[in-house]
Amino acid sequence: MPATTTLEAPPAPRNAWIGSLPYAALVLFLGAIALLVWLTREYDADEQQTTLITDVLWMEQNLRFQLDRNEALLQQLGVELLTAERPSAQADAQLRQLMSQDRGIVRVLWINADGQIMGALPPVLDSGLVGEADGAVPAESVMKLARAVGRPVYGPAYPVVGGRHHFEVHVPTWSEERFAGVVVAIYSLSDLVTRELPWWFSERYRVAVLDPDGREIAAKSKIAPLAAQRSYTTPFEPPGHGLTLQITAYKGETRWMPVLLIASIVLFGAIIVWSVWQLRRQLARRQAAEQALRNESAFRKAMEDSVITGLRARDREGRITHVNPAFCRMTGYSAEELLGARPPMPYWDPDQLERTMEVHNQVMRGGTPNEGLEVSLRRKNGERFDALIFEAPLIDAEGHHSGWMGSVLDITEQKRARELARQQDERLQATSRLVTMGEMASTLAHELNQPLGAIASYNSGCINRLEAGQLDAAELRDIHDKIGRQARRAGEIIRRVHDFVRRSEPKREALLLNTVIRDAVGLIEADARKRRMRIISELAPDLPPITADPVMIEQILVNLVRNGMDAMADLPPEQRQVLIQTRQRNHMLEVRVTDRGCGIDPETAARLFQPFFTTKAEGMGMGLNICRSIAELHHGRLTFEPNPSGGTIFILTLPIERP
């Protein structure tokens, strides 16, 4: 019957991939974060690229608008410049305005239908233009093309002095539906790119003009690093002829919003990864702790199941919270019947409920003493048994006193064994006394013969006097007194022998140790005279009483004195002396029995009190063992030490009775 519920190992996962699912989810999550960061960066790059294209389209429209406006103004001025002998002040002002720095035009020429230059602003100083090949500017082929198509035509870019490049626009002019000539505006590519673009565009982008071979021929640049990955190239129309515009963005100021967003995502992802890692470590530690707990629980359960001691736990109210199988077997009740039970318990003896309740209350107040408490309990089948209970506080993991843990031992057989041992010990003690009396039988018979013989003699004398008729009342009285003394002497001897050899229950009573010693000496005195031994008693006066069995104490003294006499059997008669002394030491009375024998060698001393060990040929080897048992039964001690004058001193100590 299980007494407790133990932790069981969790069932194995149905599929192996279930265990790796959290890690796969973490990998997918990290991939999603990386994709989100990449998409955010791509979105920001696309947005910047879109902004770049939008700005470039705006720039193209702005340049085209400026060029178209210049074409319209040149067409408006062409009739007056080619038909009038001298341009009016208004036309001159318009020309000068046309050549302002923000339009990129460096020279304006007007040429008649025959190809002759009618004028120029600024004026031409010689037949050729400074820095340009004679006859190359203005280009005759471009002029013919403009006359043929009837609309402005742009010429190709060409280099000039200073490393710059120019290009022309030929605007045809008609007067009264007759071709009057062309007005040619010469643009500087660098001035056009530098001055036509607004400041904000120049702050953001670098603008360069590339020839058909990809060489840079004009640019507007700042000293700053470029974002090469953000650039845009578009045909430069007009003037065309293979020219292209390359617009490259500068590395602008940090865009903090995308940076903060990406940093937040990365930080959040790192925190999640760290948290998952810590959670994994904690989970691993917890799994290890759970496994250790399961192992420990299984170990403790196996240990509980193997012991024969009943274990029972109760809370502070006395309710049973745990029992082991041994306790269930001991009481005959199952764990289900016992768990949760409150006093009075079903295994209490109905005839001793009050006594058992007192023990229960004592345990609830402070546990049990070190030697435990004995109670009588009853099994489920009605059989009574004696139990020894030990209780200790039950402390939980927080250090709080949550109840009591008890160990219950079935001591029924032990008590029976102790009682049997006690009875056997009593029989053995009685047998030992009988053996002692048997050894002293001849001496006691001699001691009894003396008073009995005297009585017979006195009785014969009285009869003779009566027959002779010689009656003296005083003499008869004296004879009868002597007969009485001898009878009392014989009766005292018989009483001592009877008291010494009788087998009775141990009876503790208050007694005087010196009186017991005198009785013991009187019992063995005849044997001492027969052996020509002297027994000397030096008894301290006014010793306090002790609580003991007088027959048992007398048995110790008789055995010690007879052992002393046996040890001195080979000594001359004048040296055969046994000394009995008494004294008080603190709360103990001490009896010292000293002989002058041969002493005790170390090998014999190590085994002296062992049962059945003896140095006598006819001895049983139980005398000293019984004496020590009697001394310990009275909470005393029996020891020995060598006599400095030769022999041995046996020391019996007994506790003084306390009021």
Side-chain angles (χ1 to χ4, degrees), residues 448 487-498 519 523:
L448 286 172
R488 285 192 297 272
R489 178 184 175 189
E492 182 67 19
I493 293 172
I494 294 173
R495 182 192 65 77
R496 289 176 180 174
V497 172
H498 176 267
D519 289 342
L523 184 63

Side-chain angles (χ1 to χ4, degrees), residues 110-168:
W110 46 96
I111 303 171
N112 60 18
D114 297 330
Q116 295 179 352
I117 298 176
M118 301 297 294
L121 189 69
V124 179
L125 300 177
D126 51 21
S127 57
L129 298 176
V130 177
E132 298 172 356
D134 186 20
V137 177
E140 183 178 355
S141 59
V142 178
M143 184 180 66
K144 290 179 179 180
L145 180 59
R147 179 177 181 179
V149 298
R151 59 181 178 79
V153 176
Y154 288 85
Y158 54 88
V160 297
V161 177
R164 296 188 175 188
H165 285 75
H166 291 173
F167 69 90
E168 304 170 357

Side-chain angles (χ1 to χ4, degrees), residues 190-398:
S190 58
D191 289 346
L192 181 64
V193 173
T194 302
R195 297 171 183 172
E196 282 294 324
L197 299 179
W199 64 269
W200 60 267
F201 196 90
S202 301
E203 290 290 333
R204 294 182 182 177
Y205 309 104
R206 180 180 187 273
V207 181
V209 180
L210 307 180
D211 62 10
D213 296 330
R215 294 190 299 270
E216 184 179 292
I217 57 177
K220 182 174 184 180
S221 175
K222 291 179 64 177
I223 305 301
L226 303 178
Q229 70 276 12
R230 287 193 293 115
S231 63
Y232 187 76
T233 302
T234 182
F236 192 6
E237 294 287 348
H241 299 283
L243 296 181
T244 55
L245 288 173
Q246 185 182 60
I247 297 89
T248 305
Y250 291 108
K251 289 185 178 178
E253 296 181 356
T254 304
R255 295 163 59 90
W256 288 109
M257 289 302 295
V259 171
L260 291 177
L261 177 61
I262 294 174
S264 300
I265 293 175
V266 172
L267 179 61
F268 179 68
I271 292 175
I272 291 179
V273 171
W274 180 83
S275 301
V276 171
W277 176 253
Q278 292 298 320
L279 183 62
R280 178 181 178 276
R281 293 182 59 190
Q282 184 177 0
L283 182 61
R285 289 195 296 266
R286 181 169 182 175
Q287 289 176 344
E290 289 179 353
Q291 183 62 36
L293 180 60
R294 284 192 293 270
N295 294 337
E296 184 69 16
S297 178
F299 174 77
R300 291 185 178 275
K301 184 178 184 304
M303 187 166 58
E304 282 189 10
D305 294 345
S306 66
V307 298
I308 61 174
T309 302
L311 299 178
R312 172 202 60 191
R314 294 182 291 178
D315 59 17
R316 299 291 295 275
E317 287 73 33
R319 183 172 51 249
I320 295 179
T321 59
H322 170 79
V323 290
N324 73 333
F327 188 82
C328 296
R329 292 191 298 269
M330 187 182 300
T331 60
Y333 292 92
S334 65
E336 291 74 14
E337 293 174 304
L338 294 175
L339 293 179
R342 293 175 176 270
M345 302 301 179
Y347 51 82
W348 285 6
D349 188 350
D351 298 335
Q352 299 189 23
L353 283 180
E354 294 184 1
R355 160 65 179 160
T356 310
M357 182 60 74
E358 291 178 1
V359 173
H360 170 79
N361 294 333
Q362 178 180 350
V363 171
M364 290 294 103
R365 286 192 299 267
T368 59
N370 295 334
E371 62 272 13
L373 291 174
E374 287 190 20
V375 293
S376 178
L377 303 177
R378 189 184 68 172
R379 295 186 174 91
K380 189 176 182 179
N381 59 8
E383 179 185 355
R384 287 179 173 82
F385 67 97
D386 295 315
L388 182 62
I389 299 177
F390 299 89
E391 296 276 355
L394 191 60
I395 308 300
D396 59 17
E398 287 73 27

